[in-house]
Amino acid sequence: MLSRQPLKVIEGTQLEGNGSHGQPVAVVTGAGRGIGRALVDVLHARGYLVVAIVRSLSDVSELFSLDPQNIFPVRCDVTESSTESVLREFLERQVERVDLLINNAGFGATCYGIEGLKYQELEDVLAVSCYGPIRCVRACLPLLRKSAHGVVINMSSRFGSLEWVASGVVPHDEATYAYRIGKAALNMFTSCLAVELQGQGIRVLAVDPGKVKTRFGPKDADTEPADAACAIVDLAERNADTGLFVHASGERMPW
Ligand SMILES: NC(=O)c1ccc[n+]([C@@H]2O[C@H](COP(=O)([O-])OP(=O)(O)OC[C@H]3O[C@@H](n4cnc5c(N)ncnc54)[C@H](OP(=O)(O)O)[C@@H]3O)[C@@H](O)[C@H]2O)c1
């Protein structure tokens, strides 16, 4: 279970130097492990200044030790309502713009079936999969608008596809109601946001990373986190579309 202790402050590391002059800036949530951590490595290797949102102080220290000039770990739980204002203030102090926001944080629920569903778990999943991304988008939006090519990637899942769940393409018993509802809500948020931001040059995609070998990934996972992360950053950099649900390979997924 997740800790329900609120994290009251963001303990962002301070950038030494000039902020983001000319350097692309990415914000990644759930950056301490799994796909999120791999995204930090890929973005860093491609020259981004990375704002890495994590929950634990040990993740802050570890990420900070990698490259304090270019990786800023920020301690924050996206389920906390303070995230929006504190993240925005942090970003406005530290960077000139945001080019890429990846709402990656997420977790799998454990209670299966309609009778197994626990309301608290549903609320916890929605807090991470839906409210968290909304807060992070609102925090980043003023700085995304300063980018020439802002992109928001919402980390979704094949289990968020209404069509695939309804048609049985994804097995009924492989994911909980809470997880599927959380990702479907994230997909709807993606679609609404893409339409609203279309005229502002900010692209928004929902991305299924595939079956990735992480703590959370399925038993038949076949993709290394580094490969998934490369594919996702490629998508952000090269795919010119907006308002789509896509696999990390770029293949379209049905909403
Ligand atoms: N792996 C797959 O096959 C797969 C497939 C489809 C979709 N996805 C999606 O991909 C994303 C990453 O998954 P993963 O496989 O890398 O999982 P993971 O290894 O379990 O990592 C999940 C990350 O989310 C963070 N997180 C969870 N709750 C949070 C909260 N309230 N505030 C801030 N961070 C929070 C975790 O932080 P802590 O380290 O602090 O717990 C962790 O860094 C998730 O959205 C998941 O649904 C994964």
Side-chain angles (χ1 to χ4, degrees), residues 2 29-37 53-56 59 76-79 103-108 127-129 155-159 179 183 207-218 221:
L2 292 177
T29 69
R33 62 183 156 92
I35 300 168
R37 174 55 203 274
I53 298 179
V54 295
R55 286 190 298 180
S56 74
D59 282 339
C76 158
D77 186 328
V78 299
T79 65
N103 285 307
N104 163 75
F107 78 102
V128 175
S129 298
M155 202 68 80
S156 186
S157 159
R158 60 195 180 284
F159 292 106
Y179 186 70
K183 292 302 188 188
V207 175
D208 173 5
K211 296 180 180 181
V212 187
K213 296 177 189 171
T214 62
R215 195 186 299 180
F216 169 77

